[in-house]
Amino acid sequence: MDEADWNFTEQQAETVYTCEQLRDTKGVKPHSEIMLDLFFVPIEGEEARRAAFEKALETFGYQPGEAENVNEVAASIGPIPFTPQDIWLHEERTTKMALARGYKPDGWGFAEPE
């Protein structure tokens, strides 16, 4: 899978929706400082080049994160403001890196801001 096959418009709309839901249901205030955690899984039928993906993430300032399973790659960055635009900036950048190395996004999250 490459960038041309990925629906970035849908992914961005989901990010905006999720941010609005977190703001409305959990009371997360816009522009709160968060550590953003991003998660990726191998694309079925493609060669997942984990070392290359992790190196690309680190080159752009992302720190290795805690993954729930051995096939998943997790990365963190922050603090960043809790806004759809800021989250999308990192989501889009890392998705492009992931797709080029046999991974796809599997969501994002963060610890509750203080």
Side-chain angles (χ1 to χ4, degrees):
M1 178 179 294
D2 61 20
E3 287 183 38
D5 298 326
W6 190 257
N7 191 334
F8 285 97
T9 303
E10 181 179 319
Q11 184 183 9
Q12 184 177 21
E14 288 176 10
T15 295
V16 170
Y17 176 79
T18 300
C19 287
E20 290 171 352
Q21 291 299 305
L22 289 168
R23 182 194 66 218
D24 295 345
T25 63
K26 301 290 185 186
V28 181
K29 297 194 179 359
H31 300 281
S32 298
E33 295 287 308
I34 63 167
M35 291 296 293
L36 180 65
D37 300 316
L38 301 141
F39 305 97
F40 307 89
V41 293
I43 299 170
E44 192 172 322
E46 291 195 23
E47 177 189 356
R49 299 184 321 276
R50 184 182 191 109
F53 182 34
E54 288 175 339
K55 182 174 180 168
L57 288 166
E58 288 177 11
T59 298
F60 281 88
Y62 297 91
Q63 301 299 312
E66 292 292 320
E68 289 188 19
N69 67 59
V70 301
N71 293 323
E72 188 176 68
V73 171
S76 299
I77 194 153
I80 67 164
F82 176 75
T83 68
Q85 298 83 5
D86 286 291
I87 292 170
W88 175 244
L89 171 83
H90 295 287
E91 206 178 354
E92 181 181 33
R93 178 184 298 149
T94 58
T95 295
K96 289 178 179 180
M97 286 189 271
L99 294 173
R101 292 160 182 89
Y103 284 85
K104 64 181 181 179
D106 192 39
W108 55 267
F110 58 92
E112 293 290 326
E114 296 178 12

